[in-house]
Amino acid sequence: MCVRPLESVIYFPDALGTIAVVTMCGNLLVIFAVFYFRQLHTSTNYLVLSLAMADLLVGTIVLPFGILLFANPCWPQQAVLCRVRGGFDIMSSICSILNLCFISIDRYYAVCMPLSYRLKMNAYVTAIMILITWVISVLCGIVMSVGGQKQETRCAFFQNLNLGIIAAVVAFYIPVIIMFTLYIKIFFVAQKQVRSIHSMQTGMGARKMERKATRTLAIVMGVFVFCWSPFFICVTYLPFNNFKIPLSLMETFKWLGWANSMLNPFIYAFFYSWFRSAFRIILTGKIFKGNYTNAKLL
């Protein structure tokens, strides 16, 4: 008998549609801001741009397909749509965490090795990082979406759970450990810098901006881990629990993970003054009344 795939009453198409729309609008705002304002043309923000593009894929493809699968559980083309959704889902998820990993490396050089930062993290190196991120993500999305047979009669999030466990380790646990280690080092170095330049006014503003940027991106990473860790922990635990975790619970955790793509732009707007100023200029329509490309963002 054909039934809806989501039993829990917390799933409402209107709410899911709202998440999709907010995700699209928020990340389009980040993308436009980085492209438009020259002050945001930095290596860190190019990585943020890449992250926003991955999040935009979630809002434009993954979430709408997820809503369609929810609303039409008996659709004849469900298997095809499920695989397409799965491929883009895996690609965008891996792309997000690889971007965050490279952002943590960028912040490490900015705070811990400021004298060599511009030499080591130039436009060429940033472009290579972004290229590596997307190539790996696309390849993983293709392999994971076509590999193996589905473990559930309903639309599964991984076509092969063994591959899912490998993906969880390689694309989640290892990068999170790397990011956590780097941010711990950054924290201690930043604290040392605060004490060493406490009596110096020269360079204080630049150092303060670097620390604020690092704090903001650390929060982005923390929110990412909070949103995605329940799902990846479940994927890892499934084989040891004889696959007895309810699919509805897995889908709840999956939607929590997808919600991360909606939250990132709000984190930038709340914690990052440069993006906050850029968003204010865009949303108030000032960009239609003059050229603000070279505007000084506070």
Side-chain angles (χ1 to χ4, degrees):
M1 181 179 178
C2 187
V3 296
R4 285 187 181 274
L6 304 178
E7 295 90 350
S8 175
V9 295
I10 65 172
Y11 290 94
F12 296 101
D14 290 344
L16 303 182
T18 300
I19 293 175
V21 171
V22 175
T23 300
M24 285 187 283
C25 294
N27 286 287
L28 281 172
L29 195 60
V30 173
I31 292 169
F32 182 79
V34 175
F35 271 117
Y36 184 81
F37 295 99
R38 290 185 180 177
Q39 188 175 340
L40 297 180
H41 294 180
T42 66
S43 60
T44 302
N45 289 335
Y46 289 142
L47 292 170
V48 170
L49 173 65
S50 179
L51 175 63
M53 287 180 173
D55 289 339
L56 182 63
L57 281 178
V58 174
T60 56
I61 298 178
V62 179
L63 294 181
F65 280 12
I67 295 170
L68 185 59
L69 287 167
F70 162 73
N72 300 278
C74 305
W75 193 47
Q77 301 300 321
Q78 185 193 41
V80 175
L81 184 60
C82 181
R83 286 185 178 272
V84 172
R85 192 278 307 270
F88 278 99
D89 178 24
I90 294 164
M91 180 185 72
S92 59
S93 300
I94 293 176
C95 189
S96 292
I97 198 164
L98 289 179
N99 275 311
L100 288 169
C101 219
F102 282 128
I103 286 172
S104 67
I105 294 173
D106 173 89
R107 292 295 85 202
Y108 175 79
Y109 279 107
V111 176
C112 301
M113 302 180 183
L115 297 180
S116 60
Y117 172 69
R118 293 188 181 277
L119 179 63
K120 293 182 179 293
M121 297 300 299
N122 53 42
Y124 176 77
V125 173
T126 303
I128 294 297
M129 286 180 170
I130 294 174
L131 179 63
I132 291 173
T133 295
W134 283 93
V135 169
I136 292 176
S137 301
V138 170
L139 290 177
C140 287
I142 294 173
V143 171
M144 292 291 296
S145 62
V146 302
Q149 299 296 320
K150 290 192 292 184
Q151 302 289 333
E152 293 278 349
T153 56
R154 298 181 297 193
C155 186
F157 293 113
F158 284 119
Q159 304 298 327
N160 184 299
L161 284 171
N162 292 326
L163 288 177
I165 294 172
I166 295 173
V169 173
V170 174
F172 183 75
Y173 294 116
I174 292 177
V176 164
I177 291 172
I178 292 173
M179 286 187 283
F180 182 77
T181 302
L182 288 175
Y183 277 117
I184 288 294
K185 291 183 178 180
I186 290 171
F187 174 78
F188 285 114
V189 171
Q191 292 299 311
K192 186 183 295 184
Q193 289 177 350
V194 169
R195 290 191 296 268
S196 64
I197 65 174
H198 185 268
S199 61
M200 299 172 58
Q201 296 300 320
T202 304
M204 180 71 77
R207 285 287 182 270
K208 185 177 180 181
M209 290 169 60
E210 291 289 357
R211 290 196 303 275
K212 287 187 67 175
T214 300
R215 182 186 65 179
T216 300
L217 295 169
I219 292 171
V220 172
M221 190 203 79
V223 172
F224 180 92
V225 172
F226 172 79
C227 290
W228 279 108
S229 57
F231 174 75
F232 280 107
I233 289 172
C234 280
V235 169
T236 308
Y237 182 65
L238 268 175
F240 303 100
N241 193 41
N242 198 25
F243 306 100
K244 291 183 179 178
I245 296 177
L247 186 61
S248 59
L249 180 63
M250 290 286 292
E251 289 169 328
T252 300
F253 289 151
K254 190 61 176 181
W255 277 98
L256 176 63
W258 286 336
N260 173 249
S261 297
M262 176 187 69
L263 295 175
N264 282 339
F266 290 98
I267 296 173
Y268 304 142
F270 189 79
F271 290 102
Y272 209 159
S273 60
W274 291 350
F275 277 101
R276 189 161 58 246
S277 297
F279 292 169
R280 188 181 301 114
I281 293 173
I282 296 171
L283 294 175
T284 56
K286 289 184 179 180
I287 59 171
F288 300 109
K289 302 176 182 178
N291 187 357
Y292 285 84
T293 303
N294 296 310
K296 183 174 178 58
L297 304 174
L298 302 177

